[in-house]
Amino acid sequence: MKVLIDTCVLYPTVLRAVTLGVARTGAFTPLWSARILEEWARAARKLGPGGEAQARAEIAELRQDWPCAEVAWPSSLEARLWLPDSNDVHVLAAAIAGSADVILTHNAQDFPRGPLADEGLSRADPDGFLLGIFKADPEGVAAAADAVLAEARRLSDADWQIRPLLKKAGLPRLGKALASQGDDAAS
């Protein structure tokens, strides 16, 4: 399954790390475009003077780790597409150009099911999408989440727990499922 990942999923660090950690298990093939990555870099300016530079370094690493993930398309493709927010048409074009099955985004209202279905696509929110993968492969998703948790603890020097970390990252149901799994394992 090919999944076009929108900027709002790539930009928050923990959400991106969990999503791509799950992709590394082979659960799906991630896709994005140069424009999506550029939106991430520009959005990171809000973090302060070093935000954009940090994002660009992370983007360079992402491109190195996933050399086949970036898709491009002819301008004629975008010209024939419609979405409620014309600023998101490039995301739909990238999904079509990459032969994606799903657009992974928090922006449900900007990606109505009708226009996506016309192109053979569906939309998924990150929490529901990753929870579905967790149900099929709990060990793989747990390993990806554990790696993100360990890195969050190392970088913040705080004793994060999986449920609050993932809740803060916009993955509350996945965090609850992982915490429950951990509770079951401890029993």
Side-chain angles (χ1 to χ4, degrees), residues 39-86:
E39 284 183 349
W40 166 13
R42 287 193 320 259
R45 291 177 187 163
K46 298 174 194 171
L47 297 175
E52 184 176 356
Q54 179 180 341
R56 292 199 184 277
E58 291 169 342
I59 289 166
E61 187 177 321
L62 192 74
R63 283 177 161 148
Q64 181 179 344
D65 290 349
W66 301 93
C68 298
E70 197 166 314
V71 297
W73 58 93
S75 59
S76 59
L77 175 58
E78 251 182 267
R80 73 166 182 82
L81 300 173
W82 176 88
L83 287 173
D85 183 347
S86 60

Side-chain angles (χ1 to χ4, degrees), residues 29-44:
T29 301
L31 301 171
W32 46 74
S33 68
R35 183 163 171 189
I36 288 170
L37 298 179
E38 184 60 27
E39 284 183 349
W40 166 13
R42 287 193 320 259

Side-chain angles (χ1 to χ4, degrees), residues 94-179:
I96 294 166
S99 299
D101 302 292
V102 175
I103 295 176
L104 193 62
T105 184
H106 284 297
N107 299 327
Q109 68 185 20
D110 294 338
F111 296 95
R113 297 198 188 280
L116 297 184
D118 290 346
E119 300 297 338
L121 289 159
S122 63
R123 175 195 75 235
D125 75 281
D127 196 28
F129 179 75
L130 295 172
L131 182 61
I133 294 172
F134 171 77
K135 290 176 180 176
D137 179 16
E139 292 81 20
V141 174
D146 287 346
V148 173
L149 177 62
E151 185 68 358
R153 286 175 174 165
R154 184 185 72 79
L155 290 174
S156 68
D157 199 31
D159 187 26
W160 279 102
Q161 299 302 309
I162 196 67
R163 190 169 182 181
L165 179 68
L166 293 190
K167 183 177 181 182
K168 183 175 182 182
L171 301 170
R173 294 181 296 158
L174 179 61
K176 181 178 179 180
L178 285 163

